[in-house]
Amino acid sequence: MGFHHSVGTQSHRFDDLRTLLARATPLRSGDQLAGVAAASSQERVAAQMALAELPLSHFLHEAVVPYEDDEVTRLIVDTHDAAAFAPVAHLTVGDFRNWLLGDAASPEALAALAPGLTPEMVAAVSKLCRVQDLALIARKCRVATRFRGTIGLPGRLATRLQPNHPTDDLAGIAASLLDGLLHGSGDAVIGINPASDNLPQVMRLLSMLDELITRYAMPTQSCVLTHVTNTLQAIERGAPVDLVFQSIAGTEAANRGFGIHLALLAEARAAALSLQRGALFDDGRRGEHVMYFETGQGSALSAGAHHGCDQQTLEARAYAVARHFQPLLVNTVVGFIGPEYLYNGKQILRAGLEDHFCGKLLGLPMGCDVCFTNHAEADADDMDALLTLLCTAGVHFIMGVPGADDIMLNYQSTSFHDALAMRQLLGLRPAPEFEAWLRRMGVTEAGDVLRLSPTLPAAFAPAIARLGRSA
């Protein structure tokens, strides 16, 4: 069948939906590497104009990855909520963008619509949006999740405290932990990427974090970012697991490259839920969002599993996987995969806002690791721009890394001070339970924004003394 559109005197043809979406994508190095990018800006504009005229309902009849070959496609198709989709079923992609920017797209309407949207639909409309559109629409999407604290409430910005260490030294990790806590970081999760991804080390780190959270009665959750099979074994051996982590992608073949499939994720979620480690909230319900997923544009291409699709559409499909398992947190690690996929600061900025937009429209609790690798054409100014835009757009959480420099993963992220700056600049506050804890502990002072106490909190003095002796 194909799609056609003319720009000036030149007519452009796009053979199928997969090709149309790829050609309509703003320029990025990963799509050029895959050979799916538009050959010129004129072809890109023609594809975007053709895409704007495409009915949203078309996405229910043409798959970008065949249904028979891919369990992610089957998940998307088989779980689609036709009743939720009905209010926008008559719209084209271009009309849908206009509707999203209008007053009818209230937070309540967007929450009700989310189960009726497929990832390809939201990827398509994102390709027609300017940066300000991506921020304005995402800000209206409200998604709150709970484990020991509540993530995603309006006017809040949470952080993942990321105390990685190149040798998993417990004293070094503890020093970074203390640094982060004293700067008000850690309400989304205290999450460690282990340098040694073996089960005994994973269990040692889990026990250390559990002891810390228990000793100080912290309303947060821990996670060791190991493979889901390691976490399952840790649960079987009695380890204090709060959240199950896993990197995920948008095709079955790419997920196989991560060593996972949907049934394995379901098994891990059930195991974590059986521990009942979430807090009991005032409504009498236990916090039961136990999954933490990370994603990144280009992961399917790097695994040779992209099926000729553009990387941003496949990133949105990864969010369909995440949505199915009701996660506490989803983190797009936007600049981590390298310049082969997002070449410079401009591409990273656009991708981060697209990811956040698509995840929020699909009903996910979206965070972003505002980051870049040292060989990318990007710098801290680029990341400050993306960070500020994401925080105005209602991002749920960002990373808190000592000095913004992860000494184990060797990339540049956001610091504890960056989170403080955003909270002060935009009047944002931590998760409510964590905010109250920070005040009880003497880390912060009462006020409309997070302000650090000018004196060292007495409760942490023994821990600081122990670190001094270990040094």
Side-chain angles (χ1 to χ4, degrees), residues 404-423:
D405 183 5
D406 192 302
I407 58 173
M408 193 278 281
L409 292 174
N410 293 311
Y411 78 116
Q412 309 304 310
S413 185
T414 47
S415 70
F416 307 134
H417 300 85
D418 292 332
L420 284 173
M422 291 300 104
R423 285 167 169 168

PDB file of all heavy atoms in Angstrom, residues 404-423:
ATOM      1  N   ALA A 404      28.690  14.380  39.911  1.00  0.00           N
ATOM      2  CA  ALA A 404      28.129  14.102  38.576  1.00  0.00           C
ATOM      3  C   ALA A 404      28.992  13.140  37.757  1.00  0.00           C
ATOM      4  O   ALA A 404      28.707  12.904  36.584  1.00  0.00           O
ATOM      5  CB  ALA A 404      27.898  15.398  37.788  1.00  0.00           C
ATOM      6  N   ASP A 405      30.032  12.571  38.363  1.00  0.00           N
ATOM      7  CA  ASP A 405      30.996  11.735  37.644  1.00  0.00           C
ATOM      8  C   ASP A 405      30.954  10.326  38.225  1.00  0.00           C
ATOM      9  O   ASP A 405      31.416  10.098  39.344  1.00  0.00           O
ATOM     10  CB  ASP A 405      32.396  12.338  37.786  1.00  0.00           C
ATOM     11  CG  ASP A 405      33.457  11.575  37.009  1.00  0.00           C
ATOM     12  OD1 ASP A 405      33.082  10.630  36.283  1.00  0.00           O
ATOM     13  OD2 ASP A 405      34.638  11.915  37.136  1.00  0.00           O
ATOM     14  N   ASP A 406      30.362   9.387  37.489  1.00  0.00           N
ATOM     15  CA  ASP A 406      30.283   8.018  37.986  1.00  0.00           C
ATOM     16  C   ASP A 406      31.633   7.335  37.785  1.00  0.00           C
ATOM     17  O   ASP A 406      32.040   7.055  36.653  1.00  0.00           O
ATOM     18  CB  ASP A 406      29.182   7.244  37.265  1.00  0.00           C
ATOM     19  CG  ASP A 406      28.873   5.922  37.942  1.00  0.00           C
ATOM     20  OD1 ASP A 406      29.804   5.100  38.084  1.00  0.00           O
ATOM     21  OD2 ASP A 406      27.718   5.703  38.335  1.00  0.00           O
ATOM     22  N   ILE A 407      32.329   7.077  38.889  1.00  0.00           N
ATOM     23  CA  ILE A 407      33.692   6.565  38.815  1.00  0.00           C
ATOM     24  C   ILE A 407      33.756   5.076  38.520  1.00  0.00           C
ATOM     25  O   ILE A 407      34.841   4.539  38.261  1.00  0.00           O
ATOM     26  CB  ILE A 407      34.471   6.869  40.113  1.00  0.00           C
ATOM     27  CG1 ILE A 407      33.755   6.259  41.330  1.00  0.00           C
ATOM     28  CG2 ILE A 407      34.643   8.374  40.282  1.00  0.00           C
ATOM     29  CD1 ILE A 407      34.537   6.379  42.623  1.00  0.00           C
ATOM     30  N   MET A 408      32.605   4.389  38.555  1.00  0.00           N
ATOM     31  CA  MET A 408      32.597   2.975  38.192  1.00  0.00           C
ATOM     32  C   MET A 408      32.153   2.785  36.739  1.00  0.00           C
ATOM     33  O   MET A 408      32.789   2.067  35.971  1.00  0.00           O
ATOM     34  CB  MET A 408      31.678   2.188  39.139  1.00  0.00           C
ATOM     35  CG  MET A 408      31.847   0.670  39.041  1.00  0.00           C
ATOM     36  SD  MET A 408      30.943  -0.096  37.696  1.00  0.00           S
ATOM     37  CE  MET A 408      29.300  -0.160  38.419  1.00  0.00           C
ATOM     38  N   LEU A 409      31.086   3.449  36.329  1.00  0.00           N
ATOM     39  CA  LEU A 409      30.581   3.313  34.965  1.00  0.00           C
ATOM     40  C   LEU A 409      31.268   4.257  33.981  1.00  0.00           C
ATOM     41  O   LEU A 409      31.088   4.130  32.776  1.00  0.00           O
ATOM     42  CB  LEU A 409      29.069   3.565  34.940  1.00  0.00           C
ATOM     43  CG  LEU A 409      28.220   2.506  35.655  1.00  0.00           C
ATOM     44  CD1 LEU A 409      26.767   2.939  35.702  1.00  0.00           C
ATOM     45  CD2 LEU A 409      28.354   1.151  34.987  1.00  0.00           C
ATOM     46  N   ASN A 410      32.041   5.222  34.496  1.00  0.00           N
ATOM     47  CA  ASN A 410      32.839   6.128  33.658  1.00  0.00           C
ATOM     48  C   ASN A 410      31.994   6.918  32.660  1.00  0.00           C
ATOM     49  O   ASN A 410      32.239   6.902  31.451  1.00  0.00           O
ATOM     50  CB  ASN A 410      33.935   5.344  32.918  1.00  0.00           C
ATOM     51  CG  ASN A 410      34.976   4.798  33.862  1.00  0.00           C
ATOM     52  OD1 ASN A 410      35.500   5.524  34.702  1.00  0.00           O
ATOM     53  ND2 ASN A 410      35.257   3.513  33.752  1.00  0.00           N
ATOM     54  N   TYR A 411      30.989   7.599  33.190  1.00  0.00           N
ATOM     55  CA  TYR A 411      30.206   8.510  32.359  1.00  0.00           C
ATOM     56  C   TYR A 411      29.790   9.693  33.222  1.00  0.00           C
ATOM     57  O   TYR A 411      29.960   9.684  34.436  1.00  0.00           O
ATOM     58  CB  TYR A 411      28.994   7.808  31.752  1.00  0.00           C
ATOM     59  CG  TYR A 411      27.818   7.600  32.689  1.00  0.00           C
ATOM     60  CD1 TYR A 411      26.595   8.220  32.439  1.00  0.00           C
ATOM     61  CD2 TYR A 411      27.915   6.783  33.814  1.00  0.00           C
ATOM     62  CE1 TYR A 411      25.510   8.045  33.279  1.00  0.00           C
ATOM     63  CE2 TYR A 411      26.836   6.598  34.660  1.00  0.00           C
ATOM     64  CZ  TYR A 411      25.634   7.237  34.388  1.00  0.00           C
ATOM     65  OH  TYR A 411      24.568   7.063  35.231  1.00  0.00           O
ATOM     66  N   GLN A 412      29.248  10.732  32.571  1.00  0.00           N
ATOM     67  CA  GLN A 412      28.878  11.961  33.264  1.00  0.00           C
ATOM     68  C   GLN A 412      27.361  12.026  33.423  1.00  0.00           C
ATOM     69  O   GLN A 412      26.621  11.890  32.451  1.00  0.00           O
ATOM     70  CB  GLN A 412      29.369  13.176  32.467  1.00  0.00           C
ATOM     71  CG  GLN A 412      30.834  13.118  32.082  1.00  0.00           C
ATOM     72  CD  GLN A 412      31.743  12.928  33.280  1.00  0.00           C
ATOM     73  OE1 GLN A 412      31.637  13.647  34.263  1.00  0.00           O
ATOM     74  NE2 GLN A 412      32.623  11.946  33.195  1.00  0.00           N
ATOM     75  N   SER A 413      26.920  12.257  34.651  1.00  0.00           N
ATOM     76  CA  SER A 413      25.488  12.282  34.946  1.00  0.00           C
ATOM     77  C   SER A 413      25.160  13.573  35.693  1.00  0.00           C
ATOM     78  O   SER A 413      25.781  14.606  35.457  1.00  0.00           O
ATOM     79  CB  SER A 413      25.112  11.037  35.752  1.00  0.00           C
ATOM     80  OG  SER A 413      23.720  10.961  35.974  1.00  0.00           O
ATOM     81  N   THR A 414      24.182  13.526  36.586  1.00  0.00           N
ATOM     82  CA  THR A 414      23.802  14.702  37.379  1.00  0.00           C
ATOM     83  C   THR A 414      24.194  14.499  38.838  1.00  0.00           C
ATOM     84  O   THR A 414      24.169  13.380  39.349  1.00  0.00           O
ATOM     85  CB  THR A 414      22.292  14.977  37.273  1.00  0.00           C
ATOM     86  OG1 THR A 414      21.562  13.758  37.459  1.00  0.00           O
ATOM     87  CG2 THR A 414      21.948  15.563  35.925  1.00  0.00           C
ATOM     88  N   SER A 415      24.513  15.591  39.499  1.00  0.00           N
ATOM     89  CA  SER A 415      25.025  15.537  40.868  1.00  0.00           C
ATOM     90  C   SER A 415      23.921  15.805  41.882  1.00  0.00           C
ATOM     91  O   SER A 415      22.805  16.212  41.540  1.00  0.00           O
ATOM     92  CB  SER A 415      26.128  16.586  41.038  1.00  0.00           C
ATOM     93  OG  SER A 415      25.568  17.891  41.018  1.00  0.00           O
ATOM     94  N   PHE A 416      24.268  15.616  43.153  1.00  0.00           N
ATOM     95  CA  PHE A 416      23.351  15.986  44.232  1.00  0.00           C
ATOM     96  C   PHE A 416      23.026  17.478  44.160  1.00  0.00           C
ATOM     97  O   PHE A 416      21.893  17.896  44.414  1.00  0.00           O
ATOM     98  CB  PHE A 416      23.979  15.663  45.589  1.00  0.00           C
ATOM     99  CG  PHE A 416      24.476  14.247  45.734  1.00  0.00           C
ATOM    100  CD1 PHE A 416      25.718  13.982  46.276  1.00  0.00           C
ATOM    101  CD2 PHE A 416      23.704  13.176  45.315  1.00  0.00           C
ATOM    102  CE1 PHE A 416      26.180  12.681  46.412  1.00  0.00           C
ATOM    103  CE2 PHE A 416      24.145  11.869  45.437  1.00  0.00           C
ATOM    104  CZ  PHE A 416      25.399  11.624  45.991  1.00  0.00           C
ATOM    105  N   HIS A 417      24.013  18.280  43.815  1.00  0.00           N
ATOM    106  CA  HIS A 417      23.819  19.728  43.729  1.00  0.00           C
ATOM    107  C   HIS A 417      22.882  20.100  42.580  1.00  0.00           C
ATOM    108  O   HIS A 417      22.141  21.080  42.670  1.00  0.00           O
ATOM    109  CB  HIS A 417      25.162  20.449  43.548  1.00  0.00           C
ATOM    110  CG  HIS A 417      26.110  20.216  44.675  1.00  0.00           C
ATOM    111  ND1 HIS A 417      26.939  19.116  44.727  1.00  0.00           N
ATOM    112  CD2 HIS A 417      26.350  20.924  45.813  1.00  0.00           C
ATOM    113  CE1 HIS A 417      27.663  19.160  45.832  1.00  0.00           C
ATOM    114  NE2 HIS A 417      27.321  20.243  46.514  1.00  0.00           N
ATOM    115  N   ASP A 418      22.928  19.321  41.497  1.00  0.00           N
ATOM    116  CA  ASP A 418      22.023  19.585  40.377  1.00  0.00           C
ATOM    117  C   ASP A 418      20.567  19.429  40.810  1.00  0.00           C
ATOM    118  O   ASP A 418      19.701  20.228  40.428  1.00  0.00           O
ATOM    119  CB  ASP A 418      22.311  18.640  39.211  1.00  0.00           C
ATOM    120  CG  ASP A 418      23.649  18.906  38.557  1.00  0.00           C
ATOM    121  OD1 ASP A 418      24.105  20.061  38.593  1.00  0.00           O
ATOM    122  OD2 ASP A 418      24.243  17.954  38.016  1.00  0.00           O
ATOM    123  N   ALA A 419      20.286  18.401  41.586  1.00  0.00           N
ATOM    124  CA  ALA A 419      18.921  18.204  42.076  1.00  0.00           C
ATOM    125  C   ALA A 419      18.503  19.349  42.988  1.00  0.00           C
ATOM    126  O   ALA A 419      17.370  19.849  42.904  1.00  0.00           O
ATOM    127  CB  ALA A 419      18.812  16.874  42.809  1.00  0.00           C
ATOM    128  N   LEU A 420      19.408  19.769  43.860  1.00  0.00           N
ATOM    129  CA  LEU A 420      19.111  20.912  44.722  1.00  0.00           C
ATOM    130  C   LEU A 420      18.821  22.164  43.894  1.00  0.00           C
ATOM    131  O   LEU A 420      17.900  22.928  44.191  1.00  0.00           O
ATOM    132  CB  LEU A 420      20.275  21.184  45.668  1.00  0.00           C
ATOM    133  CG  LEU A 420      20.439  20.241  46.865  1.00  0.00           C
ATOM    134  CD1 LEU A 420      21.743  20.551  47.600  1.00  0.00           C
ATOM    135  CD2 LEU A 420      19.251  20.373  47.809  1.00  0.00           C
ATOM    136  N   ALA A 421      19.610  22.384  42.856  1.00  0.00           N
ATOM    137  CA  ALA A 421      19.413  23.559  42.012  1.00  0.00           C
ATOM    138  C   ALA A 421      18.038  23.540  41.359  1.00  0.00           C
ATOM    139  O   ALA A 421      17.339  24.566  41.311  1.00  0.00           O
ATOM    140  CB  ALA A 421      20.510  23.632  40.948  1.00  0.00           C
ATOM    141  N   MET A 422      17.620  22.383  40.836  1.00  0.00           N
ATOM    142  CA  MET A 422      16.318  22.286  40.193  1.00  0.00           C
ATOM    143  C   MET A 422      15.187  22.464  41.199  1.00  0.00           C
ATOM    144  O   MET A 422      14.167  23.117  40.915  1.00  0.00           O
ATOM    145  CB  MET A 422      16.171  20.938  39.476  1.00  0.00           C
ATOM    146  CG  MET A 422      17.067  20.782  38.249  1.00  0.00           C
ATOM    147  SD  MET A 422      16.758  22.034  36.974  1.00  0.00           S
ATOM    148  CE  MET A 422      18.165  23.112  37.225  1.00  0.00           C
ATOM    149  N   ARG A 423      15.351  21.887  42.388  1.00  0.00           N
ATOM    150  CA  ARG A 423      14.317  22.046  43.412  1.00  0.00           C
ATOM    151  C   ARG A 423      14.168  23.515  43.809  1.00  0.00           C
ATOM    152  O   ARG A 423      13.053  24.021  43.991  1.00  0.00           O
ATOM    153  CB  ARG A 423      14.651  21.175  44.627  1.00  0.00           C
ATOM    154  CG  ARG A 423      14.381  19.682  44.399  1.00  0.00           C
ATOM    155  CD  ARG A 423      15.003  18.808  45.478  1.00  0.00           C
ATOM    156  NE  ARG A 423      14.524  17.419  45.389  1.00  0.00           N
ATOM    157  CZ  ARG A 423      15.061  16.409  46.048  1.00  0.00           C
ATOM    158  NH1 ARG A 423      16.114  16.599  46.846  1.00  0.00           N
ATOM    159  NH2 ARG A 423      14.559  15.196  45.930  1.00  0.00           N
TER     160      ARG A 423
END
